[in-house]
Amino acid sequence: MMKITRRLFCPALLGCLIAVVIFGPRPSAAALQQGDLRLGIIGTDTSHVIQFTKVLNDPGEPGHIPGAIVVAAFKGGSPDITISRERVDGFAKELREKWHVKFVDQITDLCPLVDGILLESVDGRAHLEQFRQALTCGKPIYVEKPLASTLADAKQMVALAAAAKVPWFSSSPLRFGPVQALRTPQVTGAIVWGPGPFEENQQLDLAWYAIHSIEILFTVMGPDVQQVTRTHTPNVDVLTGIWSGNRVGTVRAIRPYSSCGIAIFQEKDNEPVIYTHIEQYLPLVEEIVKFVRTGIPPVSSQETLAIYSFMDAAQQSLDRGGIPINVVK
């Protein structure tokens, strides 16, 4: 019989994140306290900009995270992506009117206003150029998933940050929480499932949404993947990766959406431990605040690039009829 460790059920929409409930008055940027970090946002076309601002700026919000406050933003937006076009103005309006966040005309205008930057644009294609401009501030940068739309862009971003000596990281919220503690030498394999819809403008189709489930797998298995095979149907993609030590990890990316979870196999025990709820975004926000204060990324650029190399190889597998492809890092 399977050993099952259950958590609360995780809804599928928006990467299995759970929206928080609004309580009490919302403070303005003027509520900045001595010692608080000032954060700036790039791109207001994702619900995360509202969710993050709530838990940072409002002491009365359930799950409030002290020590930082959102004070400024650059609107951005991608007119050719429906969810960006339909949400960017509404989220910008809420930040401006309810939270009194100052909006700037260009990304470099954020530089004197903030201590750290959250690059939140929903469109991975926009990230390379926005990241390039944000680097001129010399402040720590968090980049929302997807880091980029291609492996080439991801590599260029890593190189630009290294040259500028600016700390940064990119991560799905689903990495943090209980899953993070499950990477041990005893893990021999894992099966992850979650939503996998596509967006037609993204070159790496898995980067749009399945990247969240892929990151869960890498959180547990580590970055040393060697090969991947991709099986595709209209309703699901199955990615089977081989890691060092002949360990096998699998992602089932389901369309249009699904619940998410992970089954973990451990050495000398072939009965999986199953998690049917992956943490919401609060642990990620805590990590962002800690990162901006210390300048120490919680996820290495090497692991982030390994995830992109995995997705790029999976794309090649699809294009070549589902054959195994070696992951080149």
Side-chain angles (χ1 to χ4, degrees):
M1 182 178 292
M2 290 184 179
K3 297 190 303 184
I4 299 178
T5 303
R6 293 201 176 274
R7 299 293 187 265
L8 297 176
F9 179 76
C10 177
L13 193 58
L14 297 174
C16 305
L17 304 183
I18 303 174
V20 294
V21 181
I22 305 168
F23 290 103
R26 302 171 176 82
S28 70
L32 191 72
Q33 302 296 313
Q34 185 176 5
D36 280 352
L37 298 166
R38 303 165 300 159
L39 301 180
I41 286 171
I42 298 173
T44 65
D45 52 358
T46 170
S47 60
H48 288 188
V49 301
I50 302 300
Q51 294 164 344
F52 290 6
T53 302
K54 285 177 182 177
V55 298
L56 289 168
N57 289 30
D58 186 354
E61 181 70 22
H64 169 64
I65 296 169
I69 186 169
V70 176
V71 300
F74 170 78
K75 187 174 77 169
S78 298
D80 60 343
I81 295 182
T82 301
I83 64 169
S84 174
R85 183 176 63 249
E86 293 180 348
R87 301 189 302 182
V88 64
D89 289 329
F91 290 151
K93 181 180 179 181
E94 180 170 346
L95 289 174
R96 183 183 294 111
E97 295 183 358
K98 293 185 177 181
W99 300 97
H100 303 280
V101 170
K102 176 182 174 62
F103 274 75
V104 297
D105 295 328
Q106 51 189 359
I107 290 171
T108 53
D109 292 339
L110 292 172
C111 296
L113 304 177
V114 303
D115 303 301
I117 293 173
L118 313 182
L119 203 172
E120 294 290 326
S121 297
V122 75
D123 183 3
R125 297 173 303 168
H127 285 185
L128 173 58
E129 182 54 36
Q130 291 178 340
F131 188 72
R132 191 194 309 273
Q133 295 178 46
L135 285 171
T136 65
C137 296
K139 311 290 176 67
I141 304 171
Y142 164 72
V143 185
E144 184 71 61
K145 289 295 185 184
L147 171 66
S149 181
T150 66
L151 173 60
D153 278 8
K155 287 182 174 179
Q156 191 169 352
M157 292 170 73
V158 171
L160 287 169
K165 298 182 179 178
V166 172
W168 69 281
F169 84 99
S170 180
S171 174
S172 167
L174 307 185
R175 168 181 288 272
F176 300 106
V179 171
Q180 192 176 22
L182 298 176
R183 183 192 291 186
T184 70
Q186 286 72 45
V187 173
T188 60
I191 300 170
V192 179
W193 62 94
F198 297 140
E199 199 285 314
E200 61 182 0
N201 294 293
Q202 308 301 308
Q203 185 170 325
L204 275 181
D205 52 15
L206 297 171
W208 177 251
Y209 217 114
I211 190 171
H212 293 287
S213 297
I214 292 168
E215 179 139 8
I216 296 172
L217 183 63
F218 273 75
T219 301
V220 172
M221 297 287 289
D224 53 343
V225 65
Q226 299 174 342
Q227 189 181 87
V228 62
T229 304
R230 178 174 176 180
T231 302
H232 171 81
T233 73
N235 296 326
V236 68
D237 278 271
V238 176
L239 317 171
T240 303
I242 299 176
W243 268 253
S244 61
N246 293 318
R247 297 174 297 139
V248 177
T250 303
V251 172
R252 186 176 181 88
I254 303 166
R255 288 177 290 277
Y257 289 96
S258 76
S259 64
C260 61
I262 182 171
I264 301 167
F265 295 86
Q266 302 183 61
E267 196 173 74
K268 299 180 181 179
D269 188 353
N270 285 323
E271 296 179 357
V273 176
I274 300 176
Y275 287 79
T276 55
H277 173 65
I278 311 300
E279 279 293 313
Q280 50 182 301
Y281 57 85
L282 294 178
L284 170 61
V285 181
E286 291 176 343
E287 291 290 342
I288 291 171
V289 174
K290 186 189 305 181
F291 159 68
V292 174
R293 191 171 298 282
T294 65
I296 302 173
V299 183
S300 71
S301 59
Q302 290 80 10
E303 182 153 337
T304 298
L305 278 184
I307 292 171
Y308 265 78
S309 296
F310 177 87
M311 292 190 297
D312 187 77
Q315 191 81 42
Q316 295 179 52
S317 177
L318 174 66
D319 293 342
R320 298 181 190 182
I323 65 172
I325 299 292
N326 291 334
V327 178
V328 179
K329 300 171 190 172

